PDB file of all heavy atoms in Angstrom:
ATOM      1  N   LEU A1266      19.506  -1.061  -1.396  1.00 98.00           N
ATOM      2  CA  LEU A1266      18.903  -0.249  -2.448  1.00 98.00           C
ATOM      3  C   LEU A1266      18.954   1.222  -2.035  1.00 98.00           C
ATOM      4  O   LEU A1266      19.678   1.584  -1.106  1.00 98.00           O
ATOM      5  CB  LEU A1266      17.473  -0.725  -2.706  1.00 98.00           C
ATOM      6  CG  LEU A1266      17.340  -2.167  -3.212  1.00 98.00           C
ATOM      7  CD1 LEU A1266      15.881  -2.622  -3.193  1.00 98.00           C
ATOM      8  CD2 LEU A1266      17.916  -2.308  -4.618  1.00 98.00           C
ATOM      9  N   THR A1267      18.194   2.053  -2.713  1.00 98.00           N
ATOM     10  CA  THR A1267      18.174   3.489  -2.412  1.00 98.00           C
ATOM     11  C   THR A1267      16.745   3.921  -2.154  1.00 98.00           C
ATOM     12  O   THR A1267      15.844   3.593  -2.928  1.00 98.00           O
ATOM     13  CB  THR A1267      18.758   4.289  -3.595  1.00 98.00           C
ATOM     14  OG1 THR A1267      20.085   3.827  -3.868  1.00 98.00           O
ATOM     15  CG2 THR A1267      18.816   5.769  -3.261  1.00 98.00           C
ATOM     16  N   ASN A1268      16.528   4.665  -1.068  1.00 98.00           N
ATOM     17  CA  ASN A1268      15.156   5.063  -0.746  1.00 98.00           C
ATOM     18  C   ASN A1268      14.792   6.400  -1.386  1.00 98.00           C
ATOM     19  O   ASN A1268      15.581   7.005  -2.124  1.00 98.00           O
ATOM     20  CB  ASN A1268      14.938   5.086   0.765  1.00 98.00           C
ATOM     21  CG  ASN A1268      15.712   6.196   1.467  1.00 98.00           C
ATOM     22  OD1 ASN A1268      16.327   7.062   0.839  1.00 98.00           O
ATOM     23  ND2 ASN A1268      15.691   6.179   2.785  1.00 98.00           N
ATOM     24  N   GLN A1269      13.565   6.858  -1.112  1.00 98.00           N
ATOM     25  CA  GLN A1269      13.049   8.071  -1.732  1.00 98.00           C
ATOM     26  C   GLN A1269      13.802   9.330  -1.306  1.00 98.00           C
ATOM     27  O   GLN A1269      13.647  10.388  -1.910  1.00 98.00           O
ATOM     28  CB  GLN A1269      11.546   8.225  -1.445  1.00 98.00           C
ATOM     29  CG  GLN A1269      11.185   8.550   0.005  1.00 98.00           C
ATOM     30  CD  GLN A1269      10.885   7.318   0.818  1.00 98.00           C
ATOM     31  OE1 GLN A1269      11.526   6.287   0.648  1.00 98.00           O
ATOM     32  NE2 GLN A1269       9.902   7.418   1.707  1.00 98.00           N
ATOM     33  N   GLN A1270      14.615   9.225  -0.282  1.00 97.00           N
ATOM     34  CA  GLN A1270      15.428  10.357   0.162  1.00 97.00           C
ATOM     35  C   GLN A1270      16.822  10.338  -0.462  1.00 97.00           C
ATOM     36  O   GLN A1270      17.660  11.180  -0.146  1.00 97.00           O
ATOM     37  CB  GLN A1270      15.540  10.328   1.686  1.00 97.00           C
ATOM     38  CG  GLN A1270      14.196  10.389   2.389  1.00 97.00           C
ATOM     39  CD  GLN A1270      14.315  10.047   3.866  1.00 97.00           C
ATOM     40  OE1 GLN A1270      15.278  10.412   4.525  1.00 97.00           O
ATOM     41  NE2 GLN A1270      13.334   9.332   4.387  1.00 97.00           N
ATOM     42  N   GLY A1271      17.052   9.336  -1.335  1.00 97.00           N
ATOM     43  CA  GLY A1271      18.351   9.237  -1.980  1.00 97.00           C
ATOM     44  C   GLY A1271      19.412   8.614  -1.102  1.00 97.00           C
ATOM     45  O   GLY A1271      20.606   8.690  -1.415  1.00 97.00           O
ATOM     46  N   MET A1272      18.982   7.963  -0.025  1.00 97.00           N
ATOM     47  CA  MET A1272      19.923   7.357   0.920  1.00 97.00           C
ATOM     48  C   MET A1272      19.945   5.847   0.746  1.00 97.00           C
ATOM     49  O   MET A1272      18.932   5.236   0.377  1.00 97.00           O
ATOM     50  CB  MET A1272      19.520   7.712   2.357  1.00 97.00           C
ATOM     51  CG  MET A1272      19.521   9.200   2.646  1.00 97.00           C
ATOM     52  SD  MET A1272      18.902   9.582   4.306  1.00 97.00           S
ATOM     53  CE  MET A1272      20.130   8.733   5.313  1.00 97.00           C
ATOM     54  N   PHE A1274      19.599   2.148   1.636  1.00 97.00           N
ATOM     55  CA  PHE A1274      18.684   1.480   2.567  1.00 97.00           C
ATOM     56  C   PHE A1274      18.690  -0.010   2.252  1.00 97.00           C
ATOM     57  O   PHE A1274      18.465  -0.416   1.110  1.00 97.00           O
ATOM     58  CB  PHE A1274      17.266   2.038   2.427  1.00 97.00           C
ATOM     59  CG  PHE A1274      16.324   1.582   3.510  1.00 97.00           C
ATOM     60  CD1 PHE A1274      16.143   2.346   4.645  1.00 97.00           C
ATOM     61  CD2 PHE A1274      15.636   0.388   3.388  1.00 97.00           C
ATOM     62  CE1 PHE A1274      15.274   1.928   5.652  1.00 97.00           C
ATOM     63  CE2 PHE A1274      14.768  -0.045   4.384  1.00 97.00           C
ATOM     64  CZ  PHE A1274      14.592   0.735   5.516  1.00 97.00           C
ATOM     65  N   ASP A1287       5.938  -4.821  -0.607  1.00 97.00           N
ATOM     66  CA  ASP A1287       5.284  -5.119  -1.875  1.00 97.00           C
ATOM     67  C   ASP A1287       6.141  -4.578  -3.013  1.00 97.00           C
ATOM     68  O   ASP A1287       7.113  -3.856  -2.798  1.00 97.00           O
ATOM     69  CB  ASP A1287       3.855  -4.564  -1.927  1.00 97.00           C
ATOM     70  CG  ASP A1287       3.793  -3.035  -1.990  1.00 97.00           C
ATOM     71  OD1 ASP A1287       4.838  -2.381  -1.781  1.00 97.00           O
ATOM     72  OD2 ASP A1287       2.703  -2.482  -2.231  1.00 97.00           O
ATOM     73  N   ILE A1289       5.839  -2.517  -6.676  1.00 96.00           N
ATOM     74  CA  ILE A1289       4.960  -1.656  -7.451  1.00 96.00           C
ATOM     75  C   ILE A1289       5.800  -0.858  -8.452  1.00 96.00           C
ATOM     76  O   ILE A1289       7.018  -1.024  -8.518  1.00 96.00           O
ATOM     77  CB  ILE A1289       4.198  -0.667  -6.548  1.00 96.00           C
ATOM     78  CG1 ILE A1289       5.223   0.217  -5.805  1.00 96.00           C
ATOM     79  CG2 ILE A1289       3.289  -1.375  -5.562  1.00 96.00           C
ATOM     80  CD1 ILE A1289       4.644   1.468  -5.215  1.00 96.00           C
ATOM     81  N   THR A1291       5.516   3.474 -10.018  1.00 96.00           N
ATOM     82  CA  THR A1291       4.686   4.674  -9.898  1.00 96.00           C
ATOM     83  C   THR A1291       3.863   4.968 -11.140  1.00 96.00           C
ATOM     84  O   THR A1291       2.828   5.637 -11.055  1.00 96.00           O
ATOM     85  CB  THR A1291       5.562   5.900  -9.591  1.00 96.00           C
ATOM     86  OG1 THR A1291       6.471   6.135 -10.684  1.00 96.00           O
ATOM     87  CG2 THR A1291       6.361   5.687  -8.325  1.00 96.00           C
ATOM     88  N   THR A1301      -1.092   0.526  -3.373  1.00 98.00           N
ATOM     89  CA  THR A1301      -0.540   1.621  -2.570  1.00 98.00           C
ATOM     90  C   THR A1301      -1.583   2.174  -1.612  1.00 98.00           C
ATOM     91  O   THR A1301      -1.267   2.514  -0.465  1.00 98.00           O
ATOM     92  CB  THR A1301      -0.010   2.732  -3.496  1.00 98.00           C
ATOM     93  OG1 THR A1301       1.028   2.178  -4.329  1.00 98.00           O
ATOM     94  CG2 THR A1301       0.564   3.885  -2.693  1.00 98.00           C
ATOM     95  N   MET A1304      -1.774  -0.204   1.257  1.00 98.00           N
ATOM     96  CA  MET A1304      -0.624  -0.047   2.138  1.00 98.00           C
ATOM     97  C   MET A1304      -0.766   1.210   2.992  1.00 98.00           C
ATOM     98  O   MET A1304      -0.437   1.214   4.185  1.00 98.00           O
ATOM     99  CB  MET A1304       0.660   0.004   1.311  1.00 98.00           C
ATOM    100  CG  MET A1304       1.922  -0.117   2.138  1.00 98.00           C
ATOM    101  SD  MET A1304       2.231  -1.810   2.708  1.00 98.00           S
ATOM    102  CE  MET A1304       3.146  -2.477   1.307  1.00 98.00           C
ATOM    103  N   GLN A1308      -0.730   1.591   7.070  1.00 97.00           N
ATOM    104  CA  GLN A1308       0.133   2.529   7.788  1.00 97.00           C
ATOM    105  C   GLN A1308      -0.679   3.397   8.747  1.00 97.00           C
ATOM    106  O   GLN A1308      -0.271   3.652   9.879  1.00 97.00           O
ATOM    107  CB  GLN A1308       0.865   3.426   6.784  1.00 97.00           C
ATOM    108  CG  GLN A1308       1.724   4.496   7.442  1.00 97.00           C
ATOM    109  CD  GLN A1308       2.114   5.606   6.469  1.00 97.00           C
ATOM    110  OE1 GLN A1308       3.286   5.873   6.273  1.00 97.00           O
ATOM    111  NE2 GLN A1308       1.121   6.258   5.863  1.00 97.00           N
ATOM    112  N   PHE A1318       6.882  -0.172   6.517  1.00 98.00           N
ATOM    113  CA  PHE A1318       6.301  -0.521   5.229  1.00 98.00           C
ATOM    114  C   PHE A1318       7.332  -0.240   4.138  1.00 98.00           C
ATOM    115  O   PHE A1318       7.997   0.803   4.139  1.00 98.00           O
ATOM    116  CB  PHE A1318       5.020   0.274   5.002  1.00 98.00           C
ATOM    117  CG  PHE A1318       4.006   0.052   6.096  1.00 98.00           C
ATOM    118  CD1 PHE A1318       3.970   0.881   7.214  1.00 98.00           C
ATOM    119  CD2 PHE A1318       3.116  -1.009   6.030  1.00 98.00           C
ATOM    120  CE1 PHE A1318       3.065   0.662   8.241  1.00 98.00           C
ATOM    121  CE2 PHE A1318       2.203  -1.244   7.045  1.00 98.00           C
ATOM    122  CZ  PHE A1318       2.180  -0.413   8.154  1.00 98.00           C
ATOM    123  N   VAL A1319       7.462  -1.184   3.207  1.00 98.00           N
ATOM    124  CA  VAL A1319       8.498  -1.101   2.173  1.00 98.00           C
ATOM    125  C   VAL A1319       7.889  -1.399   0.816  1.00 98.00           C
ATOM    126  O   VAL A1319       7.351  -2.482   0.594  1.00 98.00           O
ATOM    127  CB  VAL A1319       9.652  -2.090   2.460  1.00 98.00           C
ATOM    128  CG1 VAL A1319      10.701  -2.007   1.360  1.00 98.00           C
ATOM    129  CG2 VAL A1319      10.274  -1.820   3.825  1.00 98.00           C
ATOM    130  N   SER A1320       7.970  -0.428  -0.088  1.00 98.00           N
ATOM    131  CA  SER A1320       7.505  -0.616  -1.462  1.00 98.00           C
ATOM    132  C   SER A1320       8.703  -0.510  -2.398  1.00 98.00           C
ATOM    133  O   SER A1320       9.408   0.506  -2.395  1.00 98.00           O
ATOM    134  CB  SER A1320       6.448   0.435  -1.833  1.00 98.00           C
ATOM    135  OG  SER A1320       5.265   0.240  -1.073  1.00 98.00           O
ATOM    136  N   ILE A1321       8.931  -1.557  -3.178  1.00 97.00           N
ATOM    137  CA  ILE A1321      10.090  -1.625  -4.066  1.00 97.00           C
ATOM    138  C   ILE A1321       9.611  -1.505  -5.510  1.00 97.00           C
ATOM    139  O   ILE A1321       8.733  -2.254  -5.937  1.00 97.00           O
ATOM    140  CB  ILE A1321      10.859  -2.938  -3.855  1.00 97.00           C
ATOM    141  CG1 ILE A1321      11.248  -3.089  -2.384  1.00 97.00           C
ATOM    142  CG2 ILE A1321      12.099  -2.995  -4.748  1.00 97.00           C
ATOM    143  CD1 ILE A1321      11.851  -4.441  -2.034  1.00 97.00           C
ATOM    144  N   THR A1322      10.194  -0.581  -6.257  1.00 96.00           N
ATOM    145  CA  THR A1322       9.771  -0.389  -7.634  1.00 96.00           C
ATOM    146  C   THR A1322      10.335  -1.459  -8.555  1.00 96.00           C
ATOM    147  O   THR A1322      11.479  -1.891  -8.384  1.00 96.00           O
ATOM    148  CB  THR A1322      10.186   0.994  -8.169  1.00 96.00           C
ATOM    149  OG1 THR A1322       9.758   1.112  -9.543  1.00 96.00           O
ATOM    150  CG2 THR A1322      11.691   1.192  -8.113  1.00 96.00           C
ATOM    151  N   ASP A1328      11.657   5.229 -11.955  1.00 97.00           N
ATOM    152  CA  ASP A1328      11.367   5.556 -10.556  1.00 97.00           C
ATOM    153  C   ASP A1328      12.650   5.901  -9.806  1.00 97.00           C
ATOM    154  O   ASP A1328      13.200   5.099  -9.040  1.00 97.00           O
ATOM    155  CB  ASP A1328      10.622   4.397  -9.883  1.00 97.00           C
ATOM    156  CG  ASP A1328       9.183   4.296 -10.346  1.00 97.00           C
ATOM    157  OD1 ASP A1328       8.662   5.279 -10.901  1.00 97.00           O
ATOM    158  OD2 ASP A1328       8.572   3.221 -10.163  1.00 97.00           O
ATOM    159  N   THR A1329      13.124   7.098 -10.035  1.00 98.00           N
ATOM    160  CA  THR A1329      14.293   7.621  -9.335  1.00 98.00           C
ATOM    161  C   THR A1329      13.887   8.023  -7.918  1.00 98.00           C
ATOM    162  O   THR A1329      12.678   8.120  -7.611  1.00 98.00           O
ATOM    163  CB  THR A1329      14.840   8.848 -10.075  1.00 98.00           C
ATOM    164  OG1 THR A1329      13.823   9.879 -10.052  1.00 98.00           O
ATOM    165  CG2 THR A1329      15.194   8.507 -11.507  1.00 98.00           C
ATOM    166  N   PRO A1330      14.847   8.289  -7.036  1.00 98.00           N
ATOM    167  CA  PRO A1330      14.485   8.764  -5.699  1.00 98.00           C
ATOM    168  C   PRO A1330      13.577   9.995  -5.727  1.00 98.00           C
ATOM    169  O   PRO A1330      12.653  10.105  -4.913  1.00 98.00           O
ATOM    170  CB  PRO A1330      15.848   9.089  -5.074  1.00 98.00           C
ATOM    171  CG  PRO A1330      16.782   8.117  -5.719  1.00 98.00           C
ATOM    172  CD  PRO A1330      16.292   8.024  -7.130  1.00 98.00           C
ATOM    173  N   VAL A1332      11.360  10.813  -8.072  1.00 98.00           N
ATOM    174  CA  VAL A1332      10.014  10.378  -8.463  1.00 98.00           C
ATOM    175  C   VAL A1332       9.337   9.657  -7.297  1.00 98.00           C
ATOM    176  O   VAL A1332       8.148   9.893  -7.011  1.00 98.00           O
ATOM    177  CB  VAL A1332      10.080   9.456  -9.695  1.00 98.00           C
ATOM    178  CG1 VAL A1332       8.723   8.823  -9.968  1.00 98.00           C
ATOM    179  CG2 VAL A1332      10.552  10.236 -10.920  1.00 98.00           C
ATOM    180  N   LEU A1333      10.079   8.794  -6.624  1.00 98.00           N
ATOM    181  CA  LEU A1333       9.518   8.054  -5.486  1.00 98.00           C
ATOM    182  C   LEU A1333       9.170   8.990  -4.332  1.00 98.00           C
ATOM    183  O   LEU A1333       8.174   8.769  -3.626  1.00 98.00           O
ATOM    184  CB  LEU A1333      10.504   6.990  -5.010  1.00 98.00           C
ATOM    185  CG  LEU A1333      10.724   5.811  -5.961  1.00 98.00           C
ATOM    186  CD1 LEU A1333      11.777   4.863  -5.383  1.00 98.00           C
ATOM    187  CD2 LEU A1333       9.432   5.051  -6.210  1.00 98.00           C
ATOM    188  N   SER A1334       9.967  10.035  -4.148  1.00 98.00           N
ATOM    189  CA  SER A1334       9.685  10.997  -3.082  1.00 98.00           C
ATOM    190  C   SER A1334       8.355  11.698  -3.321  1.00 98.00           C
ATOM    191  O   SER A1334       7.546  11.877  -2.389  1.00 98.00           O
ATOM    192  CB  SER A1334      10.814  12.021  -2.996  1.00 98.00           C
ATOM    193  OG  SER A1334      10.549  12.977  -1.987  1.00 98.00           O
ATOM    194  N   TYR A1336       5.894  10.517  -5.161  1.00 98.00           N
ATOM    195  CA  TYR A1336       4.862   9.480  -5.045  1.00 98.00           C
ATOM    196  C   TYR A1336       4.534   9.218  -3.575  1.00 98.00           C
ATOM    197  O   TYR A1336       3.370   9.065  -3.208  1.00 98.00           O
ATOM    198  CB  TYR A1336       5.362   8.209  -5.720  1.00 98.00           C
ATOM    199  CG  TYR A1336       4.346   7.105  -5.865  1.00 98.00           C
ATOM    200  CD1 TYR A1336       3.361   7.160  -6.848  1.00 98.00           C
ATOM    201  CD2 TYR A1336       4.382   5.977  -5.044  1.00 98.00           C
ATOM    202  CE1 TYR A1336       2.443   6.118  -7.002  1.00 98.00           C
ATOM    203  CE2 TYR A1336       3.473   4.943  -5.189  1.00 98.00           C
ATOM    204  CZ  TYR A1336       2.504   5.020  -6.167  1.00 98.00           C
ATOM    205  OH  TYR A1336       1.596   4.000  -6.314  1.00 98.00           O
ATOM    206  N   ALA A1337       5.566   9.171  -2.752  1.00 98.00           N
ATOM    207  CA  ALA A1337       5.369   8.956  -1.317  1.00 98.00           C
ATOM    208  C   ALA A1337       4.564  10.098  -0.711  1.00 98.00           C
ATOM    209  O   ALA A1337       3.647   9.878   0.103  1.00 98.00           O
ATOM    210  CB  ALA A1337       6.726   8.833  -0.631  1.00 98.00           C
ATOM    211  N   LEU A1338       4.878  11.317  -1.111  1.00 97.00           N
ATOM    212  CA  LEU A1338       4.165  12.489  -0.601  1.00 97.00           C
ATOM    213  C   LEU A1338       2.699  12.445  -1.002  1.00 97.00           C
ATOM    214  O   LEU A1338       1.796  12.710  -0.192  1.00 97.00           O
ATOM    215  CB  LEU A1338       4.824  13.762  -1.139  1.00 97.00           C
ATOM    216  CG  LEU A1338       4.223  15.091  -0.682  1.00 97.00           C
ATOM    217  CD1 LEU A1338       4.387  15.263   0.827  1.00 97.00           C
ATOM    218  CD2 LEU A1338       4.889  16.256  -1.419  1.00 97.00           C
ATOM    219  N   ASN A1340       0.887   9.966  -1.537  1.00 97.00           N
ATOM    220  CA  ASN A1340       0.154   8.857  -0.901  1.00 97.00           C
ATOM    221  C   ASN A1340       0.251   8.868   0.624  1.00 97.00           C
ATOM    222  O   ASN A1340      -0.100   7.885   1.277  1.00 97.00           O
ATOM    223  CB  ASN A1340       0.656   7.526  -1.457  1.00 97.00           C
ATOM    224  CG  ASN A1340       0.192   7.292  -2.882  1.00 97.00           C
ATOM    225  OD1 ASN A1340      -0.949   6.894  -3.115  1.00 97.00           O
ATOM    226  ND2 ASN A1340       1.062   7.561  -3.853  1.00 97.00           N
ATOM    227  N   GLY A1341       0.688   9.972   1.166  1.00 97.00           N
ATOM    228  CA  GLY A1341       0.681  10.138   2.619  1.00 97.00           C
ATOM    229  C   GLY A1341       1.645   9.251   3.369  1.00 97.00           C
ATOM    230  O   GLY A1341       1.386   8.889   4.529  1.00 97.00           O
ATOM    231  N   ALA A1342       2.756   8.927   2.750  1.00 97.00           N
ATOM    232  CA  ALA A1342       3.733   8.065   3.405  1.00 97.00           C
ATOM    233  C   ALA A1342       4.478   8.808   4.508  1.00 97.00           C
ATOM    234  O   ALA A1342       4.951   9.930   4.297  1.00 97.00           O
ATOM    235  CB  ALA A1342       4.731   7.533   2.381  1.00 97.00           C
ATOM    236  N   GLU A1343       4.566   8.217   5.662  1.00 96.00           N
ATOM    237  CA  GLU A1343       5.385   8.762   6.740  1.00 96.00           C
ATOM    238  C   GLU A1343       6.840   8.432   6.434  1.00 96.00           C
ATOM    239  O   GLU A1343       7.190   7.270   6.219  1.00 96.00           O
ATOM    240  CB  GLU A1343       4.961   8.161   8.081  1.00 96.00           C
ATOM    241  CG  GLU A1343       3.539   8.517   8.490  1.00 96.00           C
ATOM    242  CD  GLU A1343       3.155   7.880   9.812  1.00 96.00           C
ATOM    243  OE1 GLU A1343       4.067   7.628  10.633  1.00 96.00           O
ATOM    244  OE2 GLU A1343       1.955   7.623  10.025  1.00 96.00           O
ATOM    245  N   GLN A1344       7.672   9.439   6.425  1.00 90.00           N
ATOM    246  CA  GLN A1344       9.043   9.298   5.953  1.00 90.00           C
ATOM    247  C   GLN A1344       9.819   8.201   6.644  1.00 90.00           C
ATOM    248  O   GLN A1344      10.582   7.466   5.999  1.00 90.00           O
ATOM    249  CB  GLN A1344       9.772  10.637   6.127  1.00 90.00           C
ATOM    250  CG  GLN A1344      11.189  10.637   5.599  1.00 90.00           C
ATOM    251  CD  GLN A1344      11.781  12.028   5.570  1.00 90.00           C
ATOM    252  OE1 GLN A1344      11.354  12.891   4.807  1.00 90.00           O
ATOM    253  NE2 GLN A1344      12.764  12.257   6.426  1.00 90.00           N
ATOM    254  N   TRP A1347       7.573   4.402   6.020  1.00 98.00           N
ATOM    255  CA  TRP A1347       7.244   3.820   4.713  1.00 98.00           C
ATOM    256  C   TRP A1347       8.355   4.168   3.734  1.00 98.00           C
ATOM    257  O   TRP A1347       8.510   5.315   3.334  1.00 98.00           O
ATOM    258  CB  TRP A1347       5.904   4.345   4.230  1.00 98.00           C
ATOM    259  CG  TRP A1347       5.338   3.625   3.028  1.00 98.00           C
ATOM    260  CD1 TRP A1347       5.941   2.675   2.252  1.00 98.00           C
ATOM    261  CD2 TRP A1347       4.032   3.821   2.471  1.00 98.00           C
ATOM    262  NE1 TRP A1347       5.103   2.258   1.242  1.00 98.00           N
ATOM    263  CE2 TRP A1347       3.922   2.939   1.361  1.00 98.00           C
ATOM    264  CE3 TRP A1347       2.957   4.640   2.799  1.00 98.00           C
ATOM    265  CZ2 TRP A1347       2.769   2.873   0.581  1.00 98.00           C
ATOM    266  CZ3 TRP A1347       1.815   4.571   2.025  1.00 98.00           C
ATOM    267  CH2 TRP A1347       1.714   3.691   0.932  1.00 98.00           C
ATOM    268  N   GLN A1348       9.126   3.168   3.393  1.00 98.00           N
ATOM    269  CA  GLN A1348      10.258   3.343   2.502  1.00 98.00           C
ATOM    270  C   GLN A1348       9.896   2.930   1.075  1.00 98.00           C
ATOM    271  O   GLN A1348       9.298   1.870   0.861  1.00 98.00           O
ATOM    272  CB  GLN A1348      11.445   2.504   2.981  1.00 98.00           C
ATOM    273  CG  GLN A1348      11.927   2.840   4.389  1.00 98.00           C
ATOM    274  CD  GLN A1348      12.583   4.208   4.456  1.00 98.00           C
ATOM    275  OE1 GLN A1348      13.218   4.661   3.502  1.00 98.00           O
ATOM    276  NE2 GLN A1348      12.438   4.876   5.604  1.00 98.00           N
ATOM    277  N   PHE A1349      10.264   3.775   0.112  1.00 98.00           N
ATOM    278  CA  PHE A1349      10.110   3.447  -1.304  1.00 98.00           C
ATOM    279  C   PHE A1349      11.512   3.263  -1.865  1.00 98.00           C
ATOM    280  O   PHE A1349      12.342   4.180  -1.791  1.00 98.00           O
ATOM    281  CB  PHE A1349       9.375   4.564  -2.043  1.00 98.00           C
ATOM    282  CG  PHE A1349       7.918   4.653  -1.683  1.00 98.00           C
ATOM    283  CD1 PHE A1349       7.514   5.317  -0.534  1.00 98.00           C
ATOM    284  CD2 PHE A1349       6.943   4.063  -2.483  1.00 98.00           C
ATOM    285  CE1 PHE A1349       6.173   5.398  -0.187  1.00 98.00           C
ATOM    286  CE2 PHE A1349       5.599   4.141  -2.149  1.00 98.00           C
ATOM    287  CZ  PHE A1349       5.215   4.804  -1.002  1.00 98.00           C
ATOM    288  N   LEU A1350      11.775   2.080  -2.414  1.00 98.00           N
ATOM    289  CA  LEU A1350      13.144   1.729  -2.788  1.00 98.00           C
ATOM    290  C   LEU A1350      13.316   1.542  -4.290  1.00 98.00           C
ATOM    291  O   LEU A1350      12.442   0.998  -4.970  1.00 98.00           O
ATOM    292  CB  LEU A1350      13.560   0.446  -2.063  1.00 98.00           C
ATOM    293  CG  LEU A1350      13.438   0.448  -0.535  1.00 98.00           C
ATOM    294  CD1 LEU A1350      13.935  -0.879   0.027  1.00 98.00           C
ATOM    295  CD2 LEU A1350      14.184   1.622   0.082  1.00 98.00           C
ATOM    296  N   THR A1351      14.463   1.971  -4.775  1.00 98.00           N
ATOM    297  CA  THR A1351      14.842   1.799  -6.163  1.00 98.00           C
ATOM    298  C   THR A1351      16.297   1.348  -6.212  1.00 98.00           C
ATOM    299  O   THR A1351      16.975   1.311  -5.182  1.00 98.00           O
ATOM    300  CB  THR A1351      14.646   3.111  -6.959  1.00 98.00           C
ATOM    301  OG1 THR A1351      14.875   2.861  -8.351  1.00 98.00           O
ATOM    302  CG2 THR A1351      15.579   4.211  -6.484  1.00 98.00           C
TER     303      THR A1351
END
Side-chain angles (χ1 to χ4, degrees):
L1266 297 170
T1267 303
N1268 68 7
Q1269 70 267 38
Q1270 301 167 38
M1272 299 175 62
F1274 190 93
D1287 69 349
I1289 60 163
T1291 63
T1301 300
M1304 192 75 87
Q1308 176 196 237
F1318 303 91
V1319 179
S1320 293
I1321 305 172
T1322 179
D1328 287 342
T1329 63
V1332 171
L1333 291 178
S1334 179
Y1336 188 77
L1338 181 64
N1340 288 281
E1343 296 179 27
Q1344 183 170 293
W1347 191 352
Q1348 301 291 327
F1349 289 82
L1350 305 182
T1351 187

